[in-house]
Amino acid sequence: MTAADVDTGRAQPAERLTSAWQAPPGLPGWLMAVNHKQIGRRFVFTALGFLLVGGLQSMFMRWQLGGPEQDVLSPDAYNALFTMHGTTMMFLFAVPILEGLGMYLVPLMVGARDLPFPRLNAFGYWLYVFGGFILYWSFVTGSVPDGGWFAYTPLAGPEYSPGSNLDFWLLGVTLVEISGILGALELVIVILRHRAPGMALHRMPLFAWSQLVMSAMILFAFPAVVVASLLLEVERKTGAPFYDPDGGGNPLLWQHLFWIFGHPEVYIMLLPATGVISAIVPVFSRRPIIGYAAIVISQVAIAVLSFGLWVHHMFTTGLPPLVLAFFAVSSALIAIPSGVQVFAWLATLRFGRPRWETPLLFIAGFIVIFTLGGITGVMVAAFPFDAQVHDSYFVVAHFHYVLIGGVVFPLFAGLHHWWPKLVGRQPSESLGKVAFWTMFVGFNVAFFPQHILGLRGMPRRFYTYPDEYGWGALNLLSTLGAFAFAAGVLVFVTNLVRTARSGPEAVDDPWGGDTLEWATSSPPPPYNFAVPPVVTSAQPLWNPAPAGADPTAEAVLARLADPPAGVREQPITTAVDGRFRGVALLPGPSYWPLVTALAMAVAMVGVLVDNVPLVVVGASGTLAAIVGWVRPEAGTVGMRRHELGDVLDGRRSTGVWGAAAGAAVLAVLLAYFCYAHLYLAVSVETWPPEGTPPLPALRPAVLVGIICLAAAASVRAGRPRHRGADRLPGAGLLGLGAGVGVLALAGGASMLADLGLSGTERAHDASLLVLHAFVGVIALAGVGINAFAAYQAARLGDHPWVSAAAAISATWWTVIALSWAAVAGVVYGWPQLLGSGG
Amino acid sequence: MAGTEARTRTAFAGSRPHSPPEAVRALLLASVGPALWFGHLNASYLLVPPSCEWRHGWAFVVVTAVALAGISGAGRRSWALWDPRSHDGPTVVRFLGMAGVVLAGLFALTTLLVGASALVVHPCH
Ligand code: HEM
């Protein structure tokens, strides 16, 4: 039952395998890197940097609050610091580090060689870096965001925040959230399509389950804040009054959209952290986890329930008591699956033989702190209690217990546990233990007194308090505890950094782990597994698969140890039962992800500084970079069809899964735009407002929809037939699809022009314009995809690139037709159904 | 391109084109409970203003009954797939069947409590 029992063929990797997967040396190789381990490590290191920065900000705040009426910080500086501290911790530290850990570990755990779209992954990393850069550039320009980490309107709107502070926040956060969405797409697809043969869903490591659930949640939750931010940025730049009651908007729309994202966000951070725990507890208890199925089911239940809780952040906004009751019930019930997980870990510890080493100590710390945070969570889920403590230090204490207990402690457990795999060196146990005890004691001294301060009425987000309120002593204690906690964090990070430079070399499996990452060397080779493994158990290292468990798969997998020169191959399996299906080809290092992200960031900066030429340069640069990125010569997919062998292409390729997942994200984005429109329609007294021009009947909209469907149909007909296809019909029909698409765009645009809407005066009109623009932009992209695919089809004929592009284009046009159906239904159909005709 | 020909000749003998429909069915059944609960919560939320106008909460009873019927139906089918009395080892279908039963139970309880709160709190308050 050791790593050596799993035959990954690591002993003698073929030369070609190493050279196919290795990144080029030096700075160019660093800039072009796409491998999941490099990118995952970068996410982890960058996010750790942001943790230290966010921590430093909190130290200044605690210093200021350590005594009454201090003037370490001005009121404005305090506003800026709590905003940037919250934003940094939530957007730049917690989610990226957990996703980064997933990017590094999940492919190893499921027996894959890389993420399915390595370049997209690198692109996501650069977006994250540029998003963070934009947020922090605000310190240089002196316009630091100061509207709180949830940037409520109307405070964040153009009237009360006229400077560019909030623009930095909105644009920076949008880039970071797009990066989060891309990472989630990668993780969902690697888990569903690239697991080791035999790894059916009931044999998947619990850490991978938690990453799957987290990623699915991100795909549904992050688009809400992207939509909210886009609408607010449009309002700030153009005056379109989405959130302004004077123009028929509603400031509460922001709160709804933000918390539809914000509440799941808490679980998006917690669930992967619990995945870390479920990975560590069995290893350090030296027995399989008790309640595997119960943990998986609890994770899914928590994820779903978390999407029905957003209103519990709005208990004091004047919603009817019955609505509050609905959400209070659902909020309280989330305690059941949360509790089930805790009991499963405790039972595993009780019936195992625990080794109290650093990772397990951090888990024990988690159980104590998170349970206390959970108890205060159930208290604030009762809205009469919430009404008393809302916006007080009780809430500050509650969410730090949940976030630091639920995210930082398990994460540190995971970092210590997997550090040997990440850097190839073993961290010091004694320093790890010193860090744990300092953090544990420091944390409780810092945050427990805040419950009492909150109950005594101390409000959050106040930069100081008068002496006579008697809050000084507890605040001083809290500050001392915070400094102790920070010292513990520094010891922990120092241990990691020192180890990475000069620690003892780590063996392959220092803890006696049960999952596949421990079957590789520390750190793993660039291709992870010379021969990708087959598994027959949920603990593949403790119960290795017998030879011949899946002879078909094994025959193909054995050949992957010796690939054609420069070719990166990765197995594909079925989503539910993990049966072997074939092989995917992955692209190698490239500058395009960096260039594309840079161009996008330039466009964002153009918006920020109101510089139209800069926006144009950025946008056209982005477009050009995308063309450079996807052209057939840029990837390994330049192989001809007869060279492909076991490779799945066209409709069966991973690219089509990517397109489908991308389409799902677009659908979610559109759903939130429609939600915003409908929310305004039902919450605003006169809708549509007086003076709104009447909308036309449904008929022209139906016509535009039919044209979109025609475009989809022509693309489907134009897909090259696999063997011996005639090249002209493929190119011709793809081109026809592009032409029909232009027709649909022209039809939609002329309908819109006829309406005579005024987006800057009325929220109703602005919302209609946004909905139309959304479909217009994706249709424009569809025309671009088709035109480019038609050109390549004419050039290359029946080529795998063309069949993949045609399959993607067919999916895309179906999405456009469905999106238009949704918009037409909301804009033209719904008012007619209600008889308002407007 | 050595080895290419050998590759081309490999077929996926033994691998079928799609996941077995039973496993996919089990997955879909497991998602019915959560989906209906979500629909029920949002429908109940939207029904508050009209119910206040109608001065009656019957609409909540109707949507709760419909949601509960759907959830329990899916739960029963999942139970058949799980078949706890079977002595077969764990399979992905049985695993998903069990998930379907437990999720149906949890979300039926949540739906019931959401629906019941409409009997206690008046929509016009
Ligand atoms: C060294 C540990 C930490 C200390 C001493 C600390 C301290 C503070 C302080 C003083 C505030 C402002 C309270 C107020 O005036 O309302 C705050 C807010 C906040 N903290 Fe922390 N914090 C720490 C770590 C974290 C971590 C790890 C996270 C998240 C993972 C986090 C998330 C937040 C959030 C979301 C806010 C709210 C910001 C807002 O009101 O907009 N904190 N924290």
Side-chain angles (χ1 to χ4, degrees):
Chain A
M1 295 206 301
T2 66
D5 293 334
V6 173
D7 175 19
T8 57
R10 189 159 40 78
Q12 288 175 324
E15 281 291 300
R16 275 196 296 232
L17 187 61
T18 313
S19 71
W21 286 86
Q22 213 149 36
L27 184 65
W30 194 85
L31 294 174
M32 294 163 82
V34 296
N35 186 284
H36 77 102
K37 291 185 291 298
Q38 284 167 294
I39 302 296
R41 243 190 329 242
R42 280 180 201 180
F43 265 106
V44 170
F45 295 164
T46 313
L48 272 178
F50 279 124
L51 169 71
L52 296 183
V53 173
L56 189 68
Q57 290 159 348
S58 73
M59 291 302 107
F60 277 108
M61 287 191 287
R62 278 315 322 167
W63 185 4
Q64 161 70 17
L65 294 172
E69 291 167 53
Q70 299 216 93
D71 49 12
V72 177
L73 297 172
S74 68
D76 287 343
Y78 191 87
N79 283 350
L81 281 193
F82 77 66
T83 300
M84 285 306 282
H85 163 75
T87 303
T88 303
M89 292 302 194
M90 302 298 271
F91 294 108
L92 298 175
F93 157 65
V95 176
I97 200 165
L98 290 163
E99 267 196 327
L101 203 59
M103 284 167 192
Y104 189 95
L105 291 171
V106 167
L108 288 162
M109 281 187 178
V110 301
R113 285 172 160 181
D114 206 336
L115 289 164
F117 312 110
R119 291 183 181 175
L120 198 66
N121 199 34
F123 173 62
Y125 173 73
W126 293 116
L127 282 186
Y128 163 56
V129 170
F130 293 135
F133 183 79
I134 288 180
L135 269 165
Y136 272 87
W137 189 251
S138 64
F139 278 95
V140 178
T141 62
S143 4
V144 187
D146 52 3
W149 87 275
F150 37 72
Y152 275 176
T153 52
L155 178 65
E159 193 181 346
Y160 299 104
S161 294
S164 55
N165 313 42
L166 263 294
D167 300 310
F168 277 103
W169 191 91
L170 291 165
L171 296 170
V173 164
T174 300
L175 283 187
V176 174
E177 295 307 78
I178 295 174
S179 151
I181 292 173
L182 298 178
L185 279 179
E186 297 277 352
L187 288 164
V188 166
I189 296 175
V190 78
I191 292 172
L192 292 183
R193 294 299 281 169
H194 295 293
R195 295 199 305 272
M199 193 182 275
L201 287 181
H202 67 299
R203 294 186 188 132
M204 213 161 88
L206 285 169
F207 181 77
W209 262 111
S210 72
Q211 289 276 329
L212 176 64
V213 174
M214 169 199 79
S215 305
M217 290 178 75
I218 287 179
L219 297 183
F220 284 103
F222 281 19
V225 79
V226 171
V227 166
S229 303
L230 285 178
L231 294 183
L232 184 53
E233 189 56 21
V234 171
E235 172 165 328
R236 293 175 57 82
K237 289 293 173 190
T238 68
F242 298 105
Y243 302 106
D244 180 0
D246 290 341
N250 187 341
L252 274 187
L253 170 62
W254 173 271
Q255 289 205 30
H256 277 283
L257 284 173
F258 189 87
W259 288 117
I260 287 174
F261 143 82
H263 195 77
E265 161 89 343
V266 176
Y267 293 95
I268 284 170
M269 297 184 293
L270 277 176
L271 288 178
T274 61
V276 171
I277 300 170
S278 300
I280 289 177
V281 165
V283 174
F284 285 84
S285 304
R286 290 176 275 193
R287 59 151 299 138
I289 191 124
I290 292 179
Y292 173 96
I295 291 178
V296 172
I297 295 167
S298 299
Q299 296 234 336
V300 174
I302 290 172
V304 177
L305 279 170
S306 75
F307 277 91
L309 308 187
W310 79 94
V311 167
H312 86 199
H313 293 268
M314 301 166 63
F315 278 169
T316 55
T317 55
L319 289 164
L322 183 53
V323 171
L324 303 188
F326 293 156
F327 287 88
V329 163
S330 303
S331 303
L333 275 166
I334 208 161
I336 297 178
S338 307
V340 166
Q341 294 199 86
V342 175
F343 286 121
W345 299 320
L346 290 178
T348 309
L349 285 169
R350 166 70 184 76
F351 294 104
R353 290 172 294 131
R355 280 182 300 176
W356 290 101
E357 292 181 54
T358 304
L360 200 54
L361 282 178
F362 272 102
I363 304 289
F366 154 84
I367 291 179
V368 174
I369 296 173
F370 183 70
T371 306
L372 288 171
I375 291 170
T376 52
V378 173
M379 288 163 81
V380 293
F383 59 85
F385 185 83
D386 186 63
Q388 294 303 311
V389 297
H390 185 76
D391 270 351
S392 78
Y393 260 77
F394 190 90
V395 173
V396 175
H398 157 68
F399 67 69
H400 281 93
Y401 264 79
V402 171
L403 293 172
I404 296 184
V407 179
V408 177
F409 275 73
L411 182 77
F412 278 21
L415 286 176
H416 193 96
H417 179 62
W418 281 300
W419 202 245
K421 203 48 66 183
L422 261 84
V423 302
R425 291 175 190 271
Q426 193 70 25
S428 147
E429 261 313 292
S430 45
L431 273 183
K433 285 182 177 147
V434 170
F436 166 73
W437 285 111
T438 324
M439 283 175 66
F440 183 75
V441 174
F443 173 81
N444 284 294
V445 174
F447 289 97
F448 196 82
Q450 294 183 6
H451 293 106
I452 304 165
L453 285 168
L455 290 172
R456 288 194 190 160
M458 180 166 166
R460 70 187 279 196
R461 293 181 167 178
F462 274 51
Y463 89 108
T464 192
Y465 50 90
D467 197 8
E468 57 268 27
Y469 285 6
W471 297 335
L474 284 177
N475 265 305
L476 179 61
L477 188 65
S478 176
T479 297
L480 292 176
F483 277 93
F485 179 76
V489 172
L490 281 183
V491 174
F492 184 84
V493 174
T494 309
N495 186 17
L496 297 189
V497 174
R498 214 183 54 122
T499 308
R501 294 242 224 88
S502 58
E505 281 196 11
V507 295
D508 293 359
D509 185 9
W511 314 108
D514 57 343
T515 37
L516 286 172
E517 76 275 25
W518 302 111
T520 64
S521 58
S522 298
Y527 45 82
N528 294 352
F529 305 96
V531 177
V534 169
V535 302
T536 49
S537 145
Q539 292 88 27
L541 261 68
W542 291 353
N543 308 299
D550 184 346
T552 315
E554 283 165 29
V556 179
L557 296 177
R559 278 196 293 278
L560 300 191
D562 186 18
V567 172
R568 300 176 167 210
E569 297 165 306
Q570 147 135 312
I572 298 186
T573 45
T574 53
V576 180
D577 53 355
R579 269 174 311 108
F580 179 67
R581 294 282 290 114
V583 174
L585 295 186
L586 303 183
S590 163
Y591 284 117
W592 290 117
L594 170 59
V595 174
T596 314
L598 190 62
M600 249 176 104
V602 166
M604 287 285 194
V605 171
V607 174
L608 190 63
V609 298
D610 293 320
N611 185 328
V612 178
L614 205 57
V615 177
V616 174
V617 168
S620 36
T622 307
L623 214 64
I626 290 175
V627 171
W629 178 344
V630 300
R631 68 191 211 292
E633 291 74 14
T636 28
V637 202
M639 293 171 81
R640 316 296 303 186
R641 182 173 303 289
H642 67 272
E643 296 163 349
L644 290 176
D646 303 317
V647 174
L648 295 185
D649 67 328
R651 266 179 307 158
R652 302 178 304 162
S653 68
T654 322
V656 172
W657 272 71
V665 173
L666 286 179
V668 177
L669 277 170
L670 179 60
Y672 288 125
F673 279 120
C674 292
Y675 170 87
H677 185 82
L678 294 175
Y679 177 79
L680 291 178
V682 295
S683 68
V684 173
E685 231 159 72
T686 340
W687 187 270
E690 315 235 318
T692 309
L695 291 181
L698 198 54
R699 222 171 301 147
V702 171
L703 192 66
V704 173
I706 291 172
I707 305 177
C708 289
L709 279 176
S714 72
V715 176
R716 280 187 191 283
R719 265 204 313 248
R721 303 287 164 261
H722 272 201
R723 309 260 170 227
D726 179 356
R727 58 192 273 176
L728 276 177
L733 283 168
L734 279 166
L736 182 67
V740 177
V742 171
L743 205 64
L745 266 170
S750 94
M751 262 183 67
L752 201 57
D754 286 348
L755 294 183
L757 300 171
S758 170
T760 50
E761 277 172 35
R762 290 180 289 267
H764 169 269
D765 295 10
S767 178
L768 290 196
L769 286 169
V770 163
L771 284 169
H772 283 85
F774 178 88
V775 185
V777 168
I778 60 173
L780 207 59
V783 169
I785 293 174
N786 263 33
F788 193 55
Y791 165 70
Q792 298 293 353
R795 210 165 62 88
L796 303 170
D798 182 20
H799 186 278
W801 188 97
V802 177
S803 59
I808 289 167
S809 159
T811 311
W812 195 260
W813 276 101
T814 313
V815 171
I816 296 166
L818 290 175
S819 304
W820 178 250
V823 168
V826 167
V827 172
Y828 303 97
W830 195 57
Q832 298 200 3
L833 200 71
L834 298 185
S836 72
Chain B
M1 208 57 67
T4 300
E5 261 181 57
R7 289 162 187 291
T8 317
R9 275 189 265 110
T10 339
F12 310 112
S15 58
R16 282 166 283 160
H18 297 292
S19 296
E22 216 186 15
V24 177
R25 208 176 121 235
L27 189 65
L28 291 177
L29 279 173
S31 51
V32 169
L36 283 181
W37 161 78
F38 190 71
H40 174 261
L41 181 71
N42 282 287
S44 303
Y45 180 16
L46 290 176
L47 278 172
V48 172
S51 296
C52 173
E53 229 166 77
W54 303 326
R55 314 225 125 252
H56 211 290
W58 59 266
F60 297 112
V61 178
V62 173
V63 291
T64 306
V66 170
L68 284 176
I71 296 174
S72 52
R76 260 208 338 267
R77 279 156 189 256
S78 293
W79 177 273
L81 293 174
W82 175 22
D83 190 6
R85 284 153 303 182
S86 147
H87 294 292
D88 293 353
T91 65
V92 73
V93 172
R94 292 193 60 205
F95 170 74
L96 292 171
M98 174 164 81
V101 172
V102 178
L103 289 173
L106 179 69
F107 284 97
L109 176 67
T110 319
T111 305
L112 190 68
L113 291 177
V114 169
S117 41
L119 301 177
V120 183
V121 186
H122 197 276
C124 297
H125 282 165

